[in-house]
Amino acid sequence: MPALRQIGEIRREERRPARVFEGTAQDYLLQLQGHLRAQGMAEHAALFASANPLPDRVQWFTDLTGEIRRLDDLPETQQREVAARVAAMVEDLGREAERLKADRNPSNRTLGEVLAVACEGPGTADIVLVGAQPVLAGWGLRPVDPAAQPKDLLAELRAVAAAPPAERPAVAAAPAAPSPPAAPAAPAPPRRWPARTAALAALLLALAAAMAWFLPGAVAGIMLALRLPEPAPCVVDGPPADTPLAGLQDEEARLRQQIAAAEGAVARRIVQCRIARAAAEPPPRPPPPRQAEAPPPAAPPPPREADETERRLAREGAQRGAVQVSLRWETTADLDLYVTCPTGATISYSNPRACGGHLDVDMNVGPRRVRDPIENITWPEGAAPNGTYRVMVSNLGEGIGRVAPVPFLVRIRVGERVQEVRGTASTPQPRQVATFTVP
């Protein structure tokens, strides 16, 4: 995984993340980028930097490689080229946001609202060039002062793209018609030294000469006393030793990744222990039958989890495959299933086909909602690439602005191996719930 590098930070006392539904625009970054890549807008998806919100500031990172240069530090010609390129991408994002907001699918309408908010807040000072890719920090932020107007990124970009070069050759002007000669101005009267001032100056000079002749020691003492003290020499400390800031930032990013991986491993271990404990508990023994009466017929055993999952898959006509991931829950909320392949591609509702797999069942979208939904992703025999896969789940709720925690069950089948994971989805941001490997 490429190392994250910091490209800037913004103090919360200046701008802060704008609220969108149950979170902020930065919470939907993976969904935004996945949708844009599915629409063939990979360069637009890479435009958004990753945010790390802190109590007093928001840090911005990128995993792209290449030299990091601020837009303001580029040569003027390259500034205009990059500004025109980013302006075209911002116009494309605005049109895509309007298209999504007009869609009948509630999930797409939600994504359109988030994309519109994401384009608010940044200015040209928040743009950096990483290699050849423009990257935008400060997106989805609004001024803390209610009276302050948010920055108009598109207007600033157009102004930079249309700005003329700093120096241009002067254009020779056409010779003007000769004008009639002006009348000569009256000569100013010569300034004369006032007689009284001249006399006073001569008197002071004579007095000073007399004192210097008769009292040379006193005059030297007076001149010495009147001398201003020499200023103390200004000692400036040398510049501090260079600190490996870039190395510290890389180390911070690496530690954050390790912490996130450790937390995910602990959560998965807790879930697996609960499942193992539940499976190890022996079923209750039935009461012994009475001798005088015939034993009542035994009640049919409750359906197993696998049987219930299979029942829903059969009801929806789901495909079967050598590798299969299924998600089921028990409410009318819109939960979504994501699987990220070893190649880095993610299969989801916005990108149903990738790395040989296919999302063939996507439920509780739009007006058709049931209380026993299921979603399903499959790979045919030999189609799944070898490596580690990440399974994620998000919760878009019952409708816009209504998200409540929803328990779920994920079943993963790789050949003859079957794994079931339980969890609770409470945010629209996809959260990792399990991993598996192929083969």
Side-chain angles (χ1 to χ4, degrees):
M1 182 176 182
L4 293 175
R5 295 185 294 166
Q6 185 173 350
I7 62 174
E9 67 177 27
I10 297 175
R11 307 292 299 180
R12 283 182 178 265
E13 61 193 22
E14 302 170 1
R15 287 179 281 169
R16 61 187 175 191
R19 300 295 297 177
V20 183
F21 305 124
E22 298 297 320
T24 64
Q26 293 78 28
D27 294 334
Y28 296 83
L29 176 60
L30 290 180
Q31 290 170 296
L32 284 177
Q33 291 180 330
H35 171 79
L36 293 174
R37 292 191 184 100
Q39 299 299 316
M41 304 169 71
E43 187 180 25
H44 300 65
L47 183 65
F48 296 101
S50 300
N52 178 34
L54 297 176
D56 59 339
R57 63 192 184 277
V58 180
Q59 296 176 327
W60 301 92
F61 293 86
T62 181
D63 59 356
L64 300 176
T65 58
E67 182 184 1
I68 298 176
R69 295 174 292 169
R70 302 186 63 82
L71 178 65
D72 299 339
D73 298 335
L74 299 177
E76 292 185 1
T77 302
Q78 191 175 7
Q79 280 188 28
R80 293 194 296 274
E81 294 175 354
V82 173
R85 179 180 165 196
V86 177
M89 287 194 285
V90 172
E91 290 176 346
D92 293 342
L93 293 173
R95 287 191 291 268
E96 181 65 12
E98 294 301 322
R99 185 187 71 81
L100 290 172
K101 289 193 289 186
D103 197 283
R104 297 180 60 185
N105 188 327
S107 299
N108 288 342
R109 291 201 302 270
T110 300
L111 203 60
E113 295 288 347
V114 174
L115 184 57
V117 173
C119 295
E120 297 179 1
T124 53
D126 300 316
I127 298 176
V128 299
L129 198 64
V130 183
Q133 170 66 44
V135 179
L136 184 62
W139 58 270
L141 302 184
R142 287 179 179 167
V144 175
D145 185 2
Q149 292 294 330
K151 296 183 179 182
D152 190 340
L153 176 60
L154 190 56
E156 292 186 14
L157 288 169
R158 288 170 175 168
V160 174
E167 297 181 4
R168 289 187 176 181
V171 179
S179 58
R191 299 183 62 181
R192 300 183 178 181
W193 192 266
R196 293 181 180 177
T197 306
L200 181 60
L203 180 61
L204 291 175
L205 288 174
L207 180 60
M211 291 181 64
W213 178 264
F214 294 104
L215 301 172
V219 173
I222 293 172
M223 296 301 294
L224 184 60
L226 291 177
R227 289 182 60 187
L228 294 176
E230 295 183 359
C234 180
V235 179
V236 180
D237 294 335
D242 293 337
T243 57
L245 180 57
L248 293 177
Q249 292 172 350
D250 293 343
E251 180 67 13
E252 179 188 7
R254 186 182 66 80
L255 292 176
R256 288 181 180 276
Q257 294 173 1
Q258 291 181 353
I259 292 172
E263 290 177 346
V266 171
R268 292 192 299 272
R269 183 60 180 170
I270 292 174
V271 172
Q272 293 171 355
C273 290
R274 290 177 178 174
I275 294 175
R277 189 182 302 116
E281 293 179 357
R285 295 182 179 180
R290 290 180 295 178
Q291 298 295 333
E293 299 179 1
R304 295 183 304 169
E305 299 289 353
D307 294 340
E308 176 61 17
T309 301
E310 290 295 333
R311 182 187 70 80
R312 298 188 190 185
L313 291 172
R315 181 193 65 194
E316 300 299 326
Q319 298 178 3
R320 302 297 196 274
V323 178
Q324 185 171 0
V325 181
S326 305
L327 164 69
R328 68 179 180 88
W329 64 103
E330 313 299 330
T331 72
T332 58
D334 182 11
L335 269 62
D336 287 310
L337 177 62
Y338 300 75
V339 176
T340 300
C341 305
T343 61
T346 298
I347 304 175
S348 67
Y349 70 90
S350 62
N351 188 32
R353 292 183 181 272
C355 61
H358 178 213
L359 171 69
D360 64 319
V361 180
D362 182 16
M363 299 192 65
N364 283 5
V365 178
R368 181 180 180 266
R369 293 176 179 262
V370 298
R371 292 191 172 276
D372 55 347
I374 193 162
E375 297 198 356
N376 190 57
I377 298 176
T378 61
W379 286 261
E381 182 71 36
N386 291 341
T388 301
Y389 292 69
R390 297 169 51 235
V391 182
M392 296 175 287
V393 177
S394 69
N395 180 4
L396 296 182
E398 303 281 349
I400 294 178
R402 298 169 51 196
V403 177
V406 175
F408 64 81
L409 182 142
V410 171
R411 190 187 71 174
I412 304 168
R413 184 165 60 82
V414 181
E416 299 299 326
R417 306 195 312 266
V418 178
Q419 175 187 0
E420 289 187 347
V421 178
R422 292 183 179 272
T424 301
S426 57
T427 65
Q429 177 74 10
R431 302 295 184 187
Q432 180 174 316
V433 299
T435 61
F436 65 93
T437 57
V438 174

